[in-house]
Amino acid sequence: MSREWWRSAVVYQVYPRSFAGGGREGTLAGLRARLGHLAGLGVDAVWLTPFYPSPLADGGYDVADHCGVDPRYGTLDDFGALVAEAGALGIRVIVDIVPNHCSAEHPWFRQALAAPPGSPERERFVFRDRPNNWISKFGGPAWSQAPDGQWYLHLFDAAQPDWNWRHPDVVALFERTLRFWLDRGVAGFRIDVANMLFKQEGLPDVAAPGLTPLRPEAGATPYENQPELLELYRSWRKILDGYPGDRTTVAEIWFDAAEHAEPYLGGDGLAQLFDFRLMPCPWEAAAFRAVIDDSHRLARRSGGSIPWVLGNHDVPRMVTRFGIDQDLVRQPTAEVLLGQVEVDVALGTRRARAAALLQLALPGSAYLYQGDELGLPEHLAIPAERRQDPMFERTGRAFIGRDGCRVPLPWSGEAPPYGFPAGDSPELGTWLPQPPGWGPLTVAAQEADPGSTLALYRRALAERRAHPALGDGDLEWLDLGPDLLAFRREPGFTLVTNFGPGAAELPSHEAVLLASGPLDGSLLPADTTVWLR
Ligand code: NOJ
């Protein structure tokens, strides 16, 4: 029996507002016009972050209508055309579902605000006469006051009220939403904040409310991992299984310990959940190995699938993470949160290329974030008045937020808007400004350069498709010393990543399949990965 496609899939994350324009912002038509880039890269699927009608208080994760397309991106017909055209290229389309909260502009929340305390309209949300001590993931209190004095819960921005998942209307709304998009041919859903929907009855205070925004949690707070979630996801799985073609669910769950992820996976539960723990890893063989080992064992034990992630729209880009003093990755200081940090882009790029080859050789599925295939660094110098992420203001500007990894992609040319384009008023530029100096990083420039990061990703994905050892399966660690991460996959594949400061001797091999940088005879230079036969 053939295993489901998603167990081995390489999925490319599209942030529609910044993928391809359009004008100042990306559109679905822009994405359709650039599907050739994704086909050339060789990905199996795209995941689109929210493109639903939204006031964009949180980049579209504040959904005002779950079954529509925001006019800024196009129409439902554009979405249909996207699914069809991507499908013709062998690319599946996964969409985001955002079930923890909606937009304050959602009709049901407007009705709730207009209705009195104790009304049925308010029961779809979490209204209380007094707030508890929970902190928003974006900083500040997790409660805001309605004009009549009652408080409503929002684990994120005040413009993102949390649903009451014990209300049947909410359950039904999301079942309708799943079917709506499944009927339009989506291959699955990425589930936003998948572990927080249900809150413990009584909403008890948390012991330590001072959490750093968006960092992984303990996993045991009263708003995480409540037992009702398991039943909910079993019911969703049944809905998906009623459709042909192995549709998937991939959950956003930040976990530290496997025990907080395990209950969701396997059997009739969620198909997949992300492992985000490689993203905060310093460039260190032992740190990478510990995460890989733990997740791989969890996947084998549970029968679920745990895609590997090195970047997404919530985390500083890996070129920048790997290009700073790695002690600052271990222990970020206030300066790091403000982006006031020295970055060695050349070093970060070498390591990011090595990390990409490591990610793509691991057993299972991999998610790539748009722009990582170009080796883009984080854009740290966005002026304060142009920043859009609500975390910036909600943390009292103590954290610059996530805009720096959401900058529109550079397609061609030597200067902004790098072929994005910038629409009728080019002086306004793209919605988030692009930095100068990205000319050599554009798609056009990298297509012409066989040594580019784009060329490396293309070769890696082609090799991954062709090689019987890659994708889903197992690995066997090789111990080659503390600075080297090495494993074998059968038949006939060995990976070595050199995390150390000096060159290292390669193990015996028949041929070099691919390397993230130049080799030095039989030596593997620092910050380099090699795939061997
Ligand atoms: C996770 C999303 O990836 C992030 O961008 C968003 O701000 C929060 N969930 C809230 O929806």
PDB file of all heavy atoms in Angstrom, residues 13 15 47 49 58-62 96 98 100-101 137-138 156-157 160 190 192-193 214 252 254 312-314 389-391 402 406, ligand 1:
ATOM      1  N   GLN A  13       5.639  27.441   1.720  1.00  0.00           N
ATOM      2  CA  GLN A  13       4.704  28.371   2.355  1.00  0.00           C
ATOM      3  C   GLN A  13       4.672  29.690   1.605  1.00  0.00           C
ATOM      4  O   GLN A  13       5.679  30.384   1.482  1.00  0.00           O
ATOM      5  CB  GLN A  13       5.109  28.633   3.809  1.00  0.00           C
ATOM      6  CG  GLN A  13       4.183  29.633   4.485  1.00  0.00           C
ATOM      7  CD  GLN A  13       4.640  30.093   5.846  1.00  0.00           C
ATOM      8  OE1 GLN A  13       5.590  29.540   6.409  1.00  0.00           O
ATOM      9  NE2 GLN A  13       3.983  31.101   6.374  1.00  0.00           N
ATOM     10  N   TYR A  15       3.177  33.453   1.597  1.00  0.00           N
ATOM     11  CA  TYR A  15       2.554  34.543   2.350  1.00  0.00           C
ATOM     12  C   TYR A  15       1.984  35.474   1.278  1.00  0.00           C
ATOM     13  O   TYR A  15       2.714  36.274   0.681  1.00  0.00           O
ATOM     14  CB  TYR A  15       3.628  35.236   3.200  1.00  0.00           C
ATOM     15  CG  TYR A  15       3.090  36.115   4.296  1.00  0.00           C
ATOM     16  CD1 TYR A  15       2.583  35.564   5.470  1.00  0.00           C
ATOM     17  CD2 TYR A  15       3.084  37.500   4.170  1.00  0.00           C
ATOM     18  CE1 TYR A  15       2.082  36.365   6.481  1.00  0.00           C
ATOM     19  CE2 TYR A  15       2.588  38.312   5.185  1.00  0.00           C
ATOM     20  CZ  TYR A  15       2.093  37.737   6.335  1.00  0.00           C
ATOM     21  OH  TYR A  15       1.599  38.532   7.337  1.00  0.00           O
ATOM     22  N   TRP A  47       1.375  25.914   0.814  1.00  0.00           N
ATOM     23  CA  TRP A  47       0.469  26.282   1.901  1.00  0.00           C
ATOM     24  C   TRP A  47       0.323  27.798   1.844  1.00  0.00           C
ATOM     25  O   TRP A  47       1.310  28.519   1.892  1.00  0.00           O
ATOM     26  CB  TRP A  47       1.018  25.822   3.246  1.00  0.00           C
ATOM     27  CG  TRP A  47       0.616  26.670   4.412  1.00  0.00           C
ATOM     28  CD1 TRP A  47      -0.619  27.262   4.630  1.00  0.00           C
ATOM     29  CD2 TRP A  47       1.431  27.085   5.514  1.00  0.00           C
ATOM     30  NE1 TRP A  47      -0.609  27.994   5.793  1.00  0.00           N
ATOM     31  CE2 TRP A  47       0.635  27.901   6.355  1.00  0.00           C
ATOM     32  CE3 TRP A  47       2.747  26.829   5.876  1.00  0.00           C
ATOM     33  CZ2 TRP A  47       1.119  28.478   7.530  1.00  0.00           C
ATOM     34  CZ3 TRP A  47       3.229  27.398   7.054  1.00  0.00           C
ATOM     35  CH2 TRP A  47       2.422  28.206   7.870  1.00  0.00           C
ATOM     36  N   THR A  49      -0.932  31.142   3.656  1.00  0.00           N
ATOM     37  CA  THR A  49      -1.420  31.771   4.883  1.00  0.00           C
ATOM     38  C   THR A  49      -2.689  32.563   4.520  1.00  0.00           C
ATOM     39  O   THR A  49      -2.988  32.760   3.350  1.00  0.00           O
ATOM     40  CB  THR A  49      -0.339  32.657   5.532  1.00  0.00           C
ATOM     41  OG1 THR A  49       0.068  33.621   4.588  1.00  0.00           O
ATOM     42  CG2 THR A  49       0.858  31.836   5.968  1.00  0.00           C
ATOM     43  N   ASP A  58      -3.831  41.454  12.198  1.00  0.00           N
ATOM     44  CA  ASP A  58      -2.721  40.516  12.420  1.00  0.00           C
ATOM     45  C   ASP A  58      -2.446  39.772  11.118  1.00  0.00           C
ATOM     46  O   ASP A  58      -2.532  38.548  11.055  1.00  0.00           O
ATOM     47  CB  ASP A  58      -3.058  39.551  13.564  1.00  0.00           C
ATOM     48  CG  ASP A  58      -1.949  38.513  13.790  1.00  0.00           C
ATOM     49  OD1 ASP A  58      -0.784  38.813  13.454  1.00  0.00           O
ATOM     50  OD2 ASP A  58      -2.255  37.413  14.294  1.00  0.00           O
ATOM     51  N   GLY A  59      -2.149  40.522  10.084  1.00  0.00           N
ATOM     52  CA  GLY A  59      -1.744  39.927   8.807  1.00  0.00           C
ATOM     53  C   GLY A  59      -2.745  38.930   8.237  1.00  0.00           C
ATOM     54  O   GLY A  59      -2.346  38.024   7.507  1.00  0.00           O
ATOM     55  N   GLY A  60      -4.034  39.044   8.580  1.00  0.00           N
ATOM     56  CA  GLY A  60      -5.042  38.135   8.034  1.00  0.00           C
ATOM     57  C   GLY A  60      -5.410  37.006   8.979  1.00  0.00           C
ATOM     58  O   GLY A  60      -6.354  36.260   8.714  1.00  0.00           O
ATOM     59  N   TYR A  61      -4.668  36.857  10.082  1.00  0.00           N
ATOM     60  CA  TYR A  61      -5.050  35.871  11.108  1.00  0.00           C
ATOM     61  C   TYR A  61      -6.180  36.425  11.984  1.00  0.00           C
ATOM     62  O   TYR A  61      -6.486  35.895  13.042  1.00  0.00           O
ATOM     63  CB  TYR A  61      -3.845  35.441  11.944  1.00  0.00           C
ATOM     64  CG  TYR A  61      -2.997  34.438  11.190  1.00  0.00           C
ATOM     65  CD1 TYR A  61      -1.894  34.841  10.463  1.00  0.00           C
ATOM     66  CD2 TYR A  61      -3.330  33.090  11.173  1.00  0.00           C
ATOM     67  CE1 TYR A  61      -1.139  33.926   9.739  1.00  0.00           C
ATOM     68  CE2 TYR A  61      -2.588  32.171  10.456  1.00  0.00           C
ATOM     69  CZ  TYR A  61      -1.489  32.593   9.743  1.00  0.00           C
ATOM     70  OH  TYR A  61      -0.759  31.690   9.028  1.00  0.00           O
ATOM     71  N   ASP A  62      -6.779  37.502  11.511  1.00  0.00           N
ATOM     72  CA  ASP A  62      -8.002  38.051  12.087  1.00  0.00           C
ATOM     73  C   ASP A  62      -9.042  37.936  10.972  1.00  0.00           C
ATOM     74  O   ASP A  62      -9.169  38.809  10.135  1.00  0.00           O
ATOM     75  CB  ASP A  62      -7.786  39.495  12.542  1.00  0.00           C
ATOM     76  CG  ASP A  62      -7.058  40.364  11.525  1.00  0.00           C
ATOM     77  OD1 ASP A  62      -6.137  39.867  10.817  1.00  0.00           O
ATOM     78  OD2 ASP A  62      -7.425  41.542  11.386  1.00  0.00           O
ATOM     79  N   ASP A  96      -4.904  27.758   5.240  1.00  0.00           N
ATOM     80  CA  ASP A  96      -4.870  27.948   6.684  1.00  0.00           C
ATOM     81  C   ASP A  96      -6.299  27.933   7.211  1.00  0.00           C
ATOM     82  O   ASP A  96      -7.197  28.474   6.574  1.00  0.00           O
ATOM     83  CB  ASP A  96      -4.277  29.345   6.955  1.00  0.00           C
ATOM     84  CG  ASP A  96      -3.223  29.349   8.039  1.00  0.00           C
ATOM     85  OD1 ASP A  96      -3.576  29.043   9.181  1.00  0.00           O
ATOM     86  OD2 ASP A  96      -2.066  29.687   7.727  1.00  0.00           O
ATOM     87  N   VAL A  98      -8.208  29.100  10.841  1.00  0.00           N
ATOM     88  CA  VAL A  98      -7.865  29.882  12.035  1.00  0.00           C
ATOM     89  C   VAL A  98      -9.006  29.743  13.041  1.00  0.00           C
ATOM     90  O   VAL A  98      -9.905  30.584  13.102  1.00  0.00           O
ATOM     91  CB  VAL A  98      -7.620  31.361  11.666  1.00  0.00           C
ATOM     92  CG1 VAL A  98      -7.067  32.126  12.865  1.00  0.00           C
ATOM     93  CG2 VAL A  98      -6.673  31.484  10.481  1.00  0.00           C
ATOM     94  N   ASN A 100      -9.008  29.496  16.554  1.00  0.00           N
ATOM     95  CA  ASN A 100      -8.972  29.938  17.955  1.00  0.00           C
ATOM     96  C   ASN A 100      -9.718  31.253  18.160  1.00  0.00           C
ATOM     97  O   ASN A 100     -10.298  31.488  19.205  1.00  0.00           O
ATOM     98  CB  ASN A 100      -7.525  30.088  18.424  1.00  0.00           C
ATOM     99  CG  ASN A 100      -7.449  30.550  19.871  1.00  0.00           C
ATOM    100  OD1 ASN A 100      -7.796  29.807  20.788  1.00  0.00           O
ATOM    101  ND2 ASN A 100      -7.057  31.793  20.092  1.00  0.00           N
ATOM    102  N   HIS A 101      -9.652  32.099  17.125  1.00  0.00           N
ATOM    103  CA  HIS A 101     -10.201  33.455  17.257  1.00  0.00           C
ATOM    104  C   HIS A 101     -10.684  33.909  15.896  1.00  0.00           C
ATOM    105  O   HIS A 101     -10.381  33.268  14.876  1.00  0.00           O
ATOM    106  CB  HIS A 101      -9.121  34.410  17.767  1.00  0.00           C
ATOM    107  CG  HIS A 101      -7.803  34.202  17.076  1.00  0.00           C
ATOM    108  ND1 HIS A 101      -6.799  33.410  17.593  1.00  0.00           N
ATOM    109  CD2 HIS A 101      -7.338  34.616  15.868  1.00  0.00           C
ATOM    110  CE1 HIS A 101      -5.774  33.374  16.767  1.00  0.00           C
ATOM    111  NE2 HIS A 101      -6.080  34.095  15.695  1.00  0.00           N
ATOM    112  N   LYS A 137      -0.420  36.678  23.732  1.00  0.00           N
ATOM    113  CA  LYS A 137       0.816  36.200  23.109  1.00  0.00           C
ATOM    114  C   LYS A 137       1.564  37.344  22.426  1.00  0.00           C
ATOM    115  O   LYS A 137       2.723  37.199  22.070  1.00  0.00           O
ATOM    116  CB  LYS A 137       0.521  35.125  22.065  1.00  0.00           C
ATOM    117  CG  LYS A 137      -0.450  34.068  22.484  1.00  0.00           C
ATOM    118  CD  LYS A 137       0.094  33.118  23.492  1.00  0.00           C
ATOM    119  CE  LYS A 137       1.173  32.260  22.923  1.00  0.00           C
ATOM    120  NZ  LYS A 137       1.927  31.618  23.992  1.00  0.00           N
ATOM    121  N   PHE A 138       0.859  38.428  22.184  1.00  0.00           N
ATOM    122  CA  PHE A 138       1.502  39.589  21.554  1.00  0.00           C
ATOM    123  C   PHE A 138       1.926  40.629  22.591  1.00  0.00           C
ATOM    124  O   PHE A 138       2.287  41.750  22.243  1.00  0.00           O
ATOM    125  CB  PHE A 138       0.546  40.251  20.561  1.00  0.00           C
ATOM    126  CG  PHE A 138       0.247  39.413  19.343  1.00  0.00           C
ATOM    127  CD1 PHE A 138      -0.861  39.713  18.546  1.00  0.00           C
ATOM    128  CD2 PHE A 138       1.061  38.363  18.969  1.00  0.00           C
ATOM    129  CE1 PHE A 138      -1.139  38.974  17.413  1.00  0.00           C
ATOM    130  CE2 PHE A 138       0.784  37.611  17.837  1.00  0.00           C
ATOM    131  CZ  PHE A 138      -0.323  37.922  17.058  1.00  0.00           C
ATOM    132  N   PHE A 156      -4.563  36.720  21.528  1.00  0.00           N
ATOM    133  CA  PHE A 156      -3.673  37.457  20.632  1.00  0.00           C
ATOM    134  C   PHE A 156      -4.070  38.937  20.689  1.00  0.00           C
ATOM    135  O   PHE A 156      -4.239  39.471  21.776  1.00  0.00           O
ATOM    136  CB  PHE A 156      -3.703  36.823  19.228  1.00  0.00           C
ATOM    137  CG  PHE A 156      -3.106  35.430  19.261  1.00  0.00           C
ATOM    138  CD1 PHE A 156      -3.882  34.319  19.573  1.00  0.00           C
ATOM    139  CD2 PHE A 156      -1.753  35.240  19.052  1.00  0.00           C
ATOM    140  CE1 PHE A 156      -3.319  33.052  19.662  1.00  0.00           C
ATOM    141  CE2 PHE A 156      -1.172  33.982  19.143  1.00  0.00           C
ATOM    142  CZ  PHE A 156      -1.958  32.886  19.442  1.00  0.00           C
ATOM    143  N   ASP A 157      -4.265  39.582  19.552  1.00  0.00           N
ATOM    144  CA  ASP A 157      -4.563  41.010  19.569  1.00  0.00           C
ATOM    145  C   ASP A 157      -6.002  41.264  20.056  1.00  0.00           C
ATOM    146  O   ASP A 157      -6.867  40.390  19.953  1.00  0.00           O
ATOM    147  CB  ASP A 157      -4.371  41.562  18.147  1.00  0.00           C
ATOM    148  CG  ASP A 157      -4.394  43.073  18.119  1.00  0.00           C
ATOM    149  OD1 ASP A 157      -3.481  43.692  18.693  1.00  0.00           O
ATOM    150  OD2 ASP A 157      -5.346  43.639  17.542  1.00  0.00           O
ATOM    151  N   GLN A 160      -8.769  40.287  17.863  1.00  0.00           N
ATOM    152  CA  GLN A 160      -8.903  38.850  17.584  1.00  0.00           C
ATOM    153  C   GLN A 160      -9.583  38.131  18.759  1.00  0.00           C
ATOM    154  O   GLN A 160      -8.938  37.387  19.499  1.00  0.00           O
ATOM    155  CB  GLN A 160      -7.518  38.227  17.340  1.00  0.00           C
ATOM    156  CG  GLN A 160      -6.822  38.740  16.082  1.00  0.00           C
ATOM    157  CD  GLN A 160      -5.368  38.317  16.024  1.00  0.00           C
ATOM    158  OE1 GLN A 160      -4.550  38.774  16.820  1.00  0.00           O
ATOM    159  NE2 GLN A 160      -5.030  37.443  15.099  1.00  0.00           N
ATOM    160  N   ARG A 190      -3.641  23.832   7.294  1.00  0.00           N
ATOM    161  CA  ARG A 190      -2.703  24.120   8.369  1.00  0.00           C
ATOM    162  C   ARG A 190      -3.574  24.764   9.455  1.00  0.00           C
ATOM    163  O   ARG A 190      -4.304  25.720   9.201  1.00  0.00           O
ATOM    164  CB  ARG A 190      -1.629  25.057   7.846  1.00  0.00           C
ATOM    165  CG  ARG A 190      -0.616  25.535   8.888  1.00  0.00           C
ATOM    166  CD  ARG A 190      -1.053  26.839   9.488  1.00  0.00           C
ATOM    167  NE  ARG A 190      -0.008  27.467  10.293  1.00  0.00           N
ATOM    168  CZ  ARG A 190      -0.224  28.504  11.083  1.00  0.00           C
ATOM    169  NH1 ARG A 190      -1.423  29.043  11.171  1.00  0.00           N
ATOM    170  NH2 ARG A 190       0.754  29.036  11.772  1.00  0.00           N
ATOM    171  N   ASP A 192      -4.182  26.841  12.632  1.00  0.00           N
ATOM    172  CA  ASP A 192      -3.545  27.892  13.424  1.00  0.00           C
ATOM    173  C   ASP A 192      -3.782  27.657  14.924  1.00  0.00           C
ATOM    174  O   ASP A 192      -4.907  27.327  15.328  1.00  0.00           O
ATOM    175  CB  ASP A 192      -4.142  29.244  12.997  1.00  0.00           C
ATOM    176  CG  ASP A 192      -3.406  30.429  13.586  1.00  0.00           C
ATOM    177  OD1 ASP A 192      -2.208  30.586  13.287  1.00  0.00           O
ATOM    178  OD2 ASP A 192      -4.027  31.205  14.347  1.00  0.00           O
ATOM    179  N   VAL A 193      -2.752  27.847  15.730  1.00  0.00           N
ATOM    180  CA  VAL A 193      -2.880  27.804  17.195  1.00  0.00           C
ATOM    181  C   VAL A 193      -3.698  26.579  17.633  1.00  0.00           C
ATOM    182  O   VAL A 193      -4.597  26.670  18.471  1.00  0.00           O
ATOM    183  CB  VAL A 193      -3.542  29.088  17.737  1.00  0.00           C
ATOM    184  CG1 VAL A 193      -3.356  29.203  19.241  1.00  0.00           C
ATOM    185  CG2 VAL A 193      -3.005  30.332  17.089  1.00  0.00           C
ATOM    186  N   LEU A 214       5.009  34.709  21.939  1.00  0.00           N
ATOM    187  CA  LEU A 214       5.186  33.709  20.874  1.00  0.00           C
ATOM    188  C   LEU A 214       6.257  32.660  21.111  1.00  0.00           C
ATOM    189  O   LEU A 214       6.543  31.864  20.245  1.00  0.00           O
ATOM    190  CB  LEU A 214       5.450  34.377  19.526  1.00  0.00           C
ATOM    191  CG  LEU A 214       4.238  34.648  18.660  1.00  0.00           C
ATOM    192  CD1 LEU A 214       4.686  35.044  17.257  1.00  0.00           C
ATOM    193  CD2 LEU A 214       3.292  33.469  18.549  1.00  0.00           C
ATOM    194  N   GLU A 252      -0.349  23.788  13.906  1.00  0.00           N
ATOM    195  CA  GLU A 252       0.627  24.675  14.530  1.00  0.00           C
ATOM    196  C   GLU A 252       0.554  24.469  16.038  1.00  0.00           C
ATOM    197  O   GLU A 252      -0.378  24.926  16.702  1.00  0.00           O
ATOM    198  CB  GLU A 252       0.326  26.138  14.200  1.00  0.00           C
ATOM    199  CG  GLU A 252       1.422  27.053  14.715  1.00  0.00           C
ATOM    200  CD  GLU A 252       0.970  28.437  15.134  1.00  0.00           C
ATOM    201  OE1 GLU A 252      -0.232  28.644  15.379  1.00  0.00           O
ATOM    202  OE2 GLU A 252       1.829  29.315  15.253  1.00  0.00           O
ATOM    203  N   TRP A 254       3.283  24.766  19.199  1.00  0.00           N
ATOM    204  CA  TRP A 254       4.645  24.984  19.708  1.00  0.00           C
ATOM    205  C   TRP A 254       4.789  24.126  20.951  1.00  0.00           C
ATOM    206  O   TRP A 254       4.075  24.339  21.927  1.00  0.00           O
ATOM    207  CB  TRP A 254       4.862  26.453  20.048  1.00  0.00           C
ATOM    208  CG  TRP A 254       4.887  27.351  18.857  1.00  0.00           C
ATOM    209  CD1 TRP A 254       3.801  27.833  18.184  1.00  0.00           C
ATOM    210  CD2 TRP A 254       6.028  27.881  18.191  1.00  0.00           C
ATOM    211  NE1 TRP A 254       4.200  28.630  17.138  1.00  0.00           N
ATOM    212  CE2 TRP A 254       5.563  28.685  17.118  1.00  0.00           C
ATOM    213  CE3 TRP A 254       7.410  27.764  18.384  1.00  0.00           C
ATOM    214  CZ2 TRP A 254       6.425  29.355  16.256  1.00  0.00           C
ATOM    215  CZ3 TRP A 254       8.265  28.443  17.517  1.00  0.00           C
ATOM    216  CH2 TRP A 254       7.774  29.227  16.466  1.00  0.00           C
ATOM    217  N   ASN A 312       9.473  30.400   8.978  1.00  0.00           N
ATOM    218  CA  ASN A 312       8.100  30.722   8.611  1.00  0.00           C
ATOM    219  C   ASN A 312       7.880  32.221   8.845  1.00  0.00           C
ATOM    220  O   ASN A 312       8.851  32.944   9.126  1.00  0.00           O
ATOM    221  CB  ASN A 312       7.079  29.816   9.332  1.00  0.00           C
ATOM    222  CG  ASN A 312       7.028  30.048  10.832  1.00  0.00           C
ATOM    223  OD1 ASN A 312       7.399  31.110  11.331  1.00  0.00           O
ATOM    224  ND2 ASN A 312       6.573  29.045  11.561  1.00  0.00           N
ATOM    225  N   HIS A 313       6.645  32.656   8.739  1.00  0.00           N
ATOM    226  CA  HIS A 313       6.347  34.090   8.788  1.00  0.00           C
ATOM    227  C   HIS A 313       6.327  34.643  10.211  1.00  0.00           C
ATOM    228  O   HIS A 313       5.957  35.795  10.408  1.00  0.00           O
ATOM    229  CB  HIS A 313       4.998  34.334   8.103  1.00  0.00           C
ATOM    230  CG  HIS A 313       3.877  33.655   8.841  1.00  0.00           C
ATOM    231  ND1 HIS A 313       3.768  32.273   8.909  1.00  0.00           N
ATOM    232  CD2 HIS A 313       2.854  34.136   9.569  1.00  0.00           C
ATOM    233  CE1 HIS A 313       2.722  31.953   9.646  1.00  0.00           C
ATOM    234  NE2 HIS A 313       2.146  33.056  10.056  1.00  0.00           N
ATOM    235  N   ASP A 314       6.690  33.828  11.195  1.00  0.00           N
ATOM    236  CA  ASP A 314       6.654  34.264  12.595  1.00  0.00           C
ATOM    237  C   ASP A 314       8.040  34.366  13.225  1.00  0.00           C
ATOM    238  O   ASP A 314       8.139  34.745  14.400  1.00  0.00           O
ATOM    239  CB  ASP A 314       5.827  33.269  13.431  1.00  0.00           C
ATOM    240  CG  ASP A 314       4.347  33.314  13.095  1.00  0.00           C
ATOM    241  OD1 ASP A 314       3.854  34.396  12.716  1.00  0.00           O
ATOM    242  OD2 ASP A 314       3.684  32.261  13.209  1.00  0.00           O
ATOM    243  N   ASP A 389       3.266  44.618  12.387  1.00  0.00           N
ATOM    244  CA  ASP A 389       2.975  43.534  13.323  1.00  0.00           C
ATOM    245  C   ASP A 389       2.465  44.110  14.646  1.00  0.00           C
ATOM    246  O   ASP A 389       3.150  44.931  15.261  1.00  0.00           O
ATOM    247  CB  ASP A 389       4.260  42.724  13.546  1.00  0.00           C
ATOM    248  CG  ASP A 389       4.025  41.516  14.443  1.00  0.00           C
ATOM    249  OD1 ASP A 389       2.895  41.341  14.942  1.00  0.00           O
ATOM    250  OD2 ASP A 389       4.982  40.745  14.642  1.00  0.00           O
ATOM    251  N   PRO A 390       1.275  43.646  15.103  1.00  0.00           N
ATOM    252  CA  PRO A 390       0.739  44.187  16.359  1.00  0.00           C
ATOM    253  C   PRO A 390       1.654  43.955  17.567  1.00  0.00           C
ATOM    254  O   PRO A 390       1.553  44.652  18.573  1.00  0.00           O
ATOM    255  CB  PRO A 390      -0.591  43.444  16.538  1.00  0.00           C
ATOM    256  CG  PRO A 390      -0.531  42.251  15.635  1.00  0.00           C
ATOM    257  CD  PRO A 390       0.375  42.646  14.501  1.00  0.00           C
ATOM    258  N   MET A 391       2.585  42.994  17.453  1.00  0.00           N
ATOM    259  CA  MET A 391       3.480  42.740  18.587  1.00  0.00           C
ATOM    260  C   MET A 391       4.355  43.959  18.881  1.00  0.00           C
ATOM    261  O   MET A 391       4.773  44.159  20.022  1.00  0.00           O
ATOM    262  CB  MET A 391       4.402  41.556  18.288  1.00  0.00           C
ATOM    263  CG  MET A 391       3.692  40.248  18.221  1.00  0.00           C
ATOM    264  SD  MET A 391       4.834  38.929  17.805  1.00  0.00           S
ATOM    265  CE  MET A 391       5.250  38.363  19.433  1.00  0.00           C
ATOM    266  N   ARG A 402       7.518  40.756  13.667  1.00  0.00           N
ATOM    267  CA  ARG A 402       7.774  39.748  12.649  1.00  0.00           C
ATOM    268  C   ARG A 402       7.748  40.286  11.215  1.00  0.00           C
ATOM    269  O   ARG A 402       7.724  39.520  10.261  1.00  0.00           O
ATOM    270  CB  ARG A 402       6.730  38.635  12.814  1.00  0.00           C
ATOM    271  CG  ARG A 402       6.758  38.006  14.201  1.00  0.00           C
ATOM    272  CD  ARG A 402       5.496  37.224  14.500  1.00  0.00           C
ATOM    273  NE  ARG A 402       4.347  38.116  14.609  1.00  0.00           N
ATOM    274  CZ  ARG A 402       3.078  37.710  14.691  1.00  0.00           C
ATOM    275  NH1 ARG A 402       2.790  36.439  14.675  1.00  0.00           N
ATOM    276  NH2 ARG A 402       2.098  38.594  14.785  1.00  0.00           N
ATOM    277  N   ARG A 406       8.619  39.181   6.407  1.00  0.00           N
ATOM    278  CA  ARG A 406       7.390  39.208   5.594  1.00  0.00           C
ATOM    279  C   ARG A 406       7.497  40.197   4.437  1.00  0.00           C
ATOM    280  O   ARG A 406       6.490  40.560   3.830  1.00  0.00           O
ATOM    281  CB  ARG A 406       6.204  39.585   6.489  1.00  0.00           C
ATOM    282  CG  ARG A 406       5.966  38.594   7.613  1.00  0.00           C
ATOM    283  CD  ARG A 406       4.868  39.039   8.549  1.00  0.00           C
ATOM    284  NE  ARG A 406       4.618  38.019   9.580  1.00  0.00           N
ATOM    285  CZ  ARG A 406       3.707  38.127  10.532  1.00  0.00           C
ATOM    286  NH1 ARG A 406       2.959  39.222  10.612  1.00  0.00           N
ATOM    287  NH2 ARG A 406       3.539  37.158  11.408  1.00  0.00           N
TER     288      ARG A 406
HETATM  289  C1  NOJ B   1       0.141  31.801  14.429  1.00  0.00           C
HETATM  290  C2  NOJ B   1       0.361  32.495  13.136  1.00  0.00           C
HETATM  291  O1  NOJ B   1       1.356  31.827  12.416  1.00  0.00           O
HETATM  292  C3  NOJ B   1       0.712  33.915  13.493  1.00  0.00           C
HETATM  293  O2  NOJ B   1       1.169  34.626  12.372  1.00  0.00           O
HETATM  294  C4  NOJ B   1      -0.488  34.561  14.114  1.00  0.00           C
HETATM  295  O3  NOJ B   1      -0.151  35.857  14.539  1.00  0.00           O
HETATM  296  C5  NOJ B   1      -0.988  33.767  15.315  1.00  0.00           C
HETATM  297  N1  NOJ B   1      -1.005  32.363  15.074  1.00  0.00           N
HETATM  298  C6  NOJ B   1      -2.389  34.180  15.696  1.00  0.00           C
HETATM  299  O4  NOJ B   1      -3.300  33.743  14.745  1.00  0.00           O
END
